[in-house]
Amino acid sequence: MHGRPRKAPKPEDEAASSAKAQKLRALQTQFFSFHHNKIYTKEAVELSAKLLEINPESYTAWNYRKLAVEHYLNLPDCNPDSIKSVLDDELRVVENALRQNFKSYGAWHHRKWVLSKGHSLIDNELRLLDKFQKADSRNFHAWNYRRFVAESMKRSEQDELKYTEDMIYANFSNYSAWHNRSVLLSALFDKKAEGFLLKEKVLPEEYEFIHQAIFTDPDDQSGWFYHLWLLDQTVTTDSPLLASSWPGHGSDVLLVGDRCYNGSAFSPFSALHSDSGSFPIVLYFNQPVRGVNSSTVTVECGFNKNEDLLWKPLSASNSQTARVWVAHLKVSSSDLHSTVEVSVGHTKGIISTRGFEYSHPSMLSFKVHVQPMERDSSQVSVAESISLREENFKVYGKQSEESIIDSFDQLIIKNGHETTASNWRFEALAKEIECFRELLSLVDCKIGKLTLARLLKAYDAMSYPFANKLVHSEEVLELYSDLMKLDRTHYQFYKDERSIVLLQKVTSSKGSLLQHCFQYKDSVSSAICGPICLRLNNLSLSRMGAFEKLLWVQMLDLSHNELQSIEGLEAMQLLSCLSLRNNKLRSLTALEPLRKLKLLRILDISYNQIGDHSIDTTRYVCSSPLSHSVGSELNRDETVTSDVALINNWEAFYIFKDFNLNQLDIVGNTIADEKFKSVLVKIMPKLKQLDGKLLD
C-alpha cells in the first residue's frame, strides 16, 4: 500500500495472527449471545469492551453498548453519580479503542454520542485531541471531532483559527488544518463577525499566509487546495445575478406561424418559427437558484396573464434549483404587435443554493411581432432534408453582417445596476497572477500552471463585458495545452477546461462570433427558423460551455469534435437543428439534455460511439447515480409495457418519446441496426426521415 512492497510473513507472525483470530472468534460468539438475549450484566458489558479493544470497527458492539447505557440510565435506582460513572466508563472504552485505531469511525461516533448526553465534562476533550493530533496532525476524524467539541464548548472561531495557524506553522502539509481554516473563515464571513465583515481586509492576508506554504514546497498539494478556496471567495459574488436572457432587452421578436421569416427588417437573432403559437422566455443566472415563479418574475403584456406562466428549472437532476429557468408565453393571433416587460426579482423569493437572496432586480423589455402565414400543403407533404455539410453554407453578406453585429449587444444582459467587481478583487487577482508568474519562472510546476490558468480566466471573467474582450485567453489556452502534454493522467480534465475557455473566446466579441456564423443555402425552409447557423465544428471540443451567450442559437453544428457529454445544452431552448455528427457520445443517456428542447426538429448523431460500450462509464461523471433521472419519470402503466421491443430498448424509449423530430440521422453507431431503427419509428411516429431515407 502507498508504494510499500509486501513482505512475506514470518512463521511466528502467522502463529500470532492465528491466535488473535481464534480469540476474536471466541469473544464474538459469546458477545452475540449476550446481544441477542439482551443481557446487560457487568460481565457482558466488560466482554464487549474487550472485543472493541481488539476490533474497534465492530459497529454492532458499539450499538450494544449504547443499548446497555440506556438500560442503566432507565433503572429506578439510577442517580447522578451512577450516571456519571457509566458515561465515564464509556469514554474510557472509546479512548482504549482509539489507541488501537485512532481512525475508527465507530469509536469517534460513540464518543460524540456519550458527550451528547450532557453528563460528562467536555473540557478534557481538547487535551485528548492534542494527544491524537500530535500522533497524526492530519487525522480528519480528530479535526471533525474538534469542531464538535469547539461548538459544544462555545469556543470562538477566532480561537480555533489561531489553533489552525499554529498547526500549519508546525507542518505546512497539514491539509486538514487548511480545510478547517476555510470552514472557520466561511462561518466568520457568514456571521459578519467583527474583523471579518469585509473580505477585502481578510483575504489579502490569507494570500500572503498561503504563499509561505506554496513557495516553501510547491509540490505539496495542501496549500494549493486552500489557494483554490481563496480564489473562489475572491471572485464569487454572494448574491445571484441574471447573466443573460432570451429574448434580449430591447430586441424585436418576430414570431412566424407555419413558415420561416426571410426578410431583413428583423434581426436573424430573434426571428422564430412556432407551430404552437408560443415562444420561450429564458432566464440564465450566474449560479443555481430556486424560487423563480409568477410571484418573483412578473411578465406584463397584452396577450397573456402573468399567473398563467409556469416557470420550470432546466436541471439535469430534475431538482428545483437550476441556473436556467424557462416559461412559454402564449401569443394571441389577434394581437400582432405587443410589448413584453419582464420584471425579475422585484419581490423576494429567488434564493441561491448558498442561501443568498437575489438582490439586484432586473427589467427586460422587448417587442413581439406576430406574422401568421397560411400553410401550403404542397410544401409540407414531403419532408425536407436539412444537411449541415460544408457545401450547404455561405458567408454572410455585408448587410447581414451589420444586422448580426448590431444585435450582438442584445445578447448580453443589461441590468439597471452595472455589476462591476470592486477594485480590491482586481488588485488581488493581479497580484496573484504576478506572484505565480514569478514562481513558474523559478520552478516547472504543473499545479502552478493550473493555478495561473485559473487566475487569468477569473480576471478575464470579471473584466468582461466591460473590457469587451478576453485579454488572457490565448495565454490560458497555451497553459492548458502544456498541461495536457505534461500531465497525461489528467489529460481529459485539462482538455475539458481548455474547451470551455475556447468557447468563451469565440463568443466574447462580435468579430470572433461572426467568424462562426454562416447562412444556410435554403433560408426559406419550413423545417428551420432563421438563417443563422453557428458552426463550432472541428474545434476539438470535449466539453460545452458559454451557454449564457448562446441562448439565441437555432441551428448549431458541433460535428467533428470530441464531445462525450452535452450537459448544459438544455439551456439553448431555441434549438431546432443540431448536428453532433462525428463526436464521442457513448450512450443514449448522453442525449438526455435534448429532451428539454421542445423546438428541436432535426438531429444528427451519426458516427458516434453509441452501442460500443455495454456499460456507460461517463453516465455519472457530473452527478450521483442516485440522482440520475433516466427512467425516473416512466409511468408503469404506459403502453410500452406491452411491446417487447420497446421494453428491451427502454433507454431509447425514455430519451426519444418526448421528441418531435422530423429528421434523425443515427448511422455509424453500433446500435444503429435495422431492428433498432424500427424501434425508433415506433417511438417517434412523426418522424419523416431517418438516415437520409424518407419514411412511409
Side-chain angles (χ1 to χ4, degrees):
M1 186 176 182
H2 300 300
R4 297 179 182 178
R6 289 180 178 271
K7 294 181 179 180
K10 298 178 181 179
E12 56 268 27
D13 293 334
E14 288 185 336
S17 179
S18 177
K20 181 179 179 180
Q22 189 174 357
K23 180 182 178 182
L24 180 60
R25 282 194 295 270
L27 278 173
Q28 286 177 330
T29 301
Q30 195 173 0
F31 163 72
F32 282 122
S33 175
F34 290 144
H35 184 32
H36 291 155
N37 292 291
K38 299 182 179 180
I39 297 174
Y40 304 117
T41 62
K42 184 178 180 181
E43 177 191 4
V45 174
E46 287 179 350
L47 185 136
S48 68
K50 293 178 182 177
L51 176 61
L52 287 166
E53 190 171 338
I54 298 173
N55 179 22
E57 296 305 311
S58 177
Y59 281 89
T60 305
W62 289 118
N63 289 333
Y64 168 81
R65 293 194 69 87
K66 289 183 178 66
L67 294 172
V69 169
E70 296 290 357
H71 171 77
Y72 284 121
L73 296 184
N74 290 326
L75 291 175
D77 58 346
C78 187
N79 56 62
D81 290 337
S82 61
I83 291 174
K84 186 177 185 306
S85 176
V86 168
L87 296 179
D88 285 348
D89 284 343
E90 290 305 301
L91 294 177
R92 279 192 292 273
V93 170
V94 173
E95 188 170 345
N96 289 335
L98 288 173
R99 291 184 193 282
Q100 295 296 319
N101 178 15
F102 52 77
K103 293 185 178 180
S104 169
Y105 285 89
W108 288 110
H109 285 310
H110 193 72
R111 197 167 188 89
K112 281 185 181 181
W113 180 82
V114 173
L115 290 175
S116 69
K117 292 294 181 182
H119 297 282
S120 303
L121 292 175
I122 202 167
D123 297 342
N124 296 324
E125 298 306 297
L126 289 181
R127 286 193 289 272
L128 176 68
L129 280 169
D130 283 338
K131 293 180 182 178
F132 286 116
Q133 291 186 310
K134 284 178 181 178
D136 182 1
S137 63
R138 300 192 298 181
N139 182 358
F140 74 89
H141 297 274
W143 282 97
N144 186 36
Y145 186 69
R146 185 180 185 91
R147 286 190 285 272
F148 165 78
V149 171
E151 185 178 355
S152 301
M153 293 177 64
K154 308 297 182 186
R155 185 173 162 89
S156 71
E157 285 93 350
Q158 288 89 335
D159 289 341
E160 285 297 286
L161 203 63
K162 179 62 172 64
Y163 178 78
T164 64
E165 188 174 323
D166 294 340
M167 295 294 285
I168 289 168
Y169 275 126
N171 180 10
F172 277 139
S173 187
N174 194 332
Y175 172 79
S176 296
W178 288 114
H179 170 69
N180 203 50
R181 191 169 184 85
S182 68
V183 171
L184 292 166
L185 282 173
S186 294
L188 289 167
F189 289 148
D190 289 343
K191 294 196 311 188
K192 300 188 182 302
E194 185 177 354
F196 298 86
L197 183 62
L198 300 175
K199 288 184 178 180
E200 52 263 47
K201 291 186 177 180
V202 178
L203 292 183
E205 295 177 358
E206 291 299 305
Y207 277 120
E208 292 295 331
F209 185 36
I210 195 62
H211 288 167
Q212 298 177 55
I214 290 175
F215 276 79
T216 301
D217 185 3
D219 291 327
D220 183 77
Q221 295 186 19
S222 303
W224 292 104
F225 281 111
Y226 187 69
H227 188 275
L228 181 59
W229 178 81
L230 288 177
L231 177 59
D232 180 66
Q233 294 297 308
T234 304
V235 302
T236 303
T237 57
D238 291 336
S239 178
L241 299 171
L242 189 61
S244 65
S245 70
W246 194 92
H249 179 63
S251 63
D252 287 273
V253 178
L254 177 62
L255 193 65
V256 185
D258 294 319
R259 299 293 303 278
C260 277
Y261 182 75
N262 187 32
S264 59
F266 291 89
S267 162
F269 281 96
S270 55
L272 180 66
H273 172 66
S274 174
D275 290 324
S276 62
S278 65
F279 66 93
I281 300 177
V282 185
L283 302 178
Y284 197 110
F285 295 88
N286 69 333
Q287 54 186 290
V289 297
R290 66 178 186 273
V292 176
N293 51 50
S294 58
S295 298
T296 55
V297 178
T298 59
V299 179
E300 295 183 6
C301 57
F303 48 77
N304 207 303
K305 293 183 178 179
N306 177 66
E307 54 268 22
D308 294 336
L309 289 181
L310 178 62
W311 288 94
K312 293 183 179 181
L314 299 180
S315 169
S317 60
N318 288 332
S319 73
Q320 291 303 304
T321 302
R323 279 190 172 196
V324 190
W325 288 75
V326 62
H328 286 81
L329 192 62
K330 190 74 174 177
V331 179
S332 172
S333 58
S334 60
D335 199 345
L336 301 182
H337 304 281
S338 297
T339 298
V340 180
E341 292 185 349
V342 182
S343 175
V344 183
H346 286 79
T347 57
K348 291 185 177 181
I350 300 177
I351 303 173
S352 72
T353 52
R354 299 169 63 194
F356 292 99
E357 286 269 0
Y358 182 86
S359 57
H360 301 288
S362 306
M363 176 70 77
L364 309 171
S365 178
F366 54 89
K367 295 179 180 179
V368 178
H369 307 268
V370 180
Q371 182 173 325
M373 297 188 71
E374 296 181 1
R375 180 181 295 271
D376 184 350
S377 58
S378 64
Q379 295 293 323
V380 297
S381 58
V382 178
E384 297 175 84
S385 177
I386 305 300
S387 176
L388 302 187
R389 302 293 181 87
E390 193 72 34
E391 61 272 15
N392 294 330
F393 292 96
K394 60 182 180 180
V395 178
Y396 273 94
K398 188 66 178 177
Q399 184 178 358
S400 297
E401 279 190 20
E402 293 174 356
S403 174
I404 294 174
I405 290 174
D406 290 341
S407 303
F408 183 84
D409 290 335
Q410 296 175 350
L411 306 179
I412 306 299
I413 197 70
K414 291 185 180 295
N415 297 312
H417 60 283
E418 287 291 322
T419 51
T420 60
S422 52
N423 289 334
W424 78 268
R425 298 179 190 271
F426 280 113
E427 291 172 3
L429 288 178
K431 189 174 182 180
E432 290 304 293
I433 290 170
E434 181 182 355
C435 178
F436 284 102
R437 279 180 173 155
E438 179 184 349
L439 175 65
L440 291 174
S441 69
L442 301 173
V443 295
D444 189 16
C445 176
K446 289 182 291 187
I447 198 167
K449 287 190 174 185
L450 176 59
T451 301
L452 179 58
R454 286 168 168 163
L455 288 165
L456 294 170
K457 182 179 173 183
Y459 190 93
D460 280 356
M462 285 202 305
S463 302
Y464 184 85
F466 312 109
N468 203 30
K469 61 180 178 178
L470 302 180
V471 179
H472 301 102
S473 58
E474 287 296 338
E475 185 178 356
V476 176
L477 290 172
E478 185 177 347
L479 284 167
Y480 280 122
S481 295
D482 289 346
L483 287 166
M484 288 161 63
K485 298 173 185 175
L486 293 171
D487 186 5
R488 301 294 295 183
T489 305
H490 302 100
Y491 174 89
Q492 193 60 48
F493 170 77
Y494 301 134
K495 187 168 182 60
D496 288 349
E497 292 298 305
R498 189 183 186 282
S499 296
I500 292 175
V501 174
L502 180 59
L503 284 170
Q504 289 172 339
K505 179 187 174 185
V506 167
T507 59
S508 64
S509 68
K510 304 170 186 178
S512 60
L513 181 68
L514 191 61
Q515 293 177 22
H516 296 271
C517 291
F518 292 82
Q519 186 171 15
Y520 190 72
K521 64 176 183 178
D522 180 12
S523 61
V524 298
S525 168
S526 62
I528 58 174
C529 308
I532 289 183
C533 179
L534 182 65
R535 304 198 69 202
L536 302 175
N537 56 320
N538 290 297
L539 294 179
S540 193
L541 299 174
S542 62
R543 185 179 172 188
M544 285 296 294
F547 294 108
E548 70 277 12
K549 302 171 188 174
L550 301 176
L551 302 182
W552 55 274
V553 177
Q554 299 182 50
M555 294 182 69
L556 178 62
D557 183 3
L558 291 171
S559 63
H560 298 276
N561 281 299
E562 299 175 28
L563 295 169
Q564 295 184 27
S565 168
I566 53 173
E567 185 174 359
L569 210 65
E570 63 272 9
M572 301 172 66
Q573 286 289 294
L574 272 63
L575 268 185
S576 62
C577 183
L578 172 64
S579 175
L580 293 165
R581 183 184 181 91
N582 284 100
N583 274 278
K584 294 184 178 180
L585 300 177
R586 304 175 65 176
S587 70
L588 291 172
T589 55
L591 303 175
E592 189 179 0
L594 304 184
R595 294 179 60 243
K596 301 180 185 293
L597 303 180
K598 303 305 180 184
L599 298 178
L600 189 64
R601 297 294 178 266
I602 298 163
L603 176 63
D604 186 350
I605 52 173
S606 58
Y607 299 100
N608 276 270
Q609 300 175 6
I610 301 173
D612 285 3
H613 309 273
S614 57
I615 298 176
D616 178 13
T617 56
T618 62
R619 178 169 169 177
Y620 307 119
V621 168
C622 300
S623 59
S624 164
L626 299 178
S627 66
H628 202 273
S629 60
V630 172
S632 61
E633 299 174 8
L634 282 180
N635 185 342
R636 294 181 180 179
D637 296 330
E638 289 189 80
T639 56
V640 64
T641 56
S642 63
D643 193 314
V644 175
L646 295 187
I647 292 173
N648 293 334
N649 293 275
W650 70 270
E651 285 188 325
F653 175 79
Y654 177 78
I655 294 297
F656 289 106
K657 70 183 181 73
D658 294 327
F659 278 13
N660 194 19
L661 296 179
N662 296 330
Q663 180 179 319
L664 173 64
D665 289 280
I666 197 170
V667 67
N669 291 280
T670 303
I671 199 174
D673 55 20
E674 292 303 318
K675 184 177 179 180
F676 183 74
K677 291 178 183 179
S678 66
V679 170
L680 290 179
V681 173
K682 285 183 180 180
I683 297 172
M684 296 180 289
K686 295 183 180 179
L687 194 64
K688 298 177 181 178
Q689 185 170 299
L690 181 60
D691 286 340
K693 296 180 180 179
L694 295 179
L695 299 175
D696 295 333

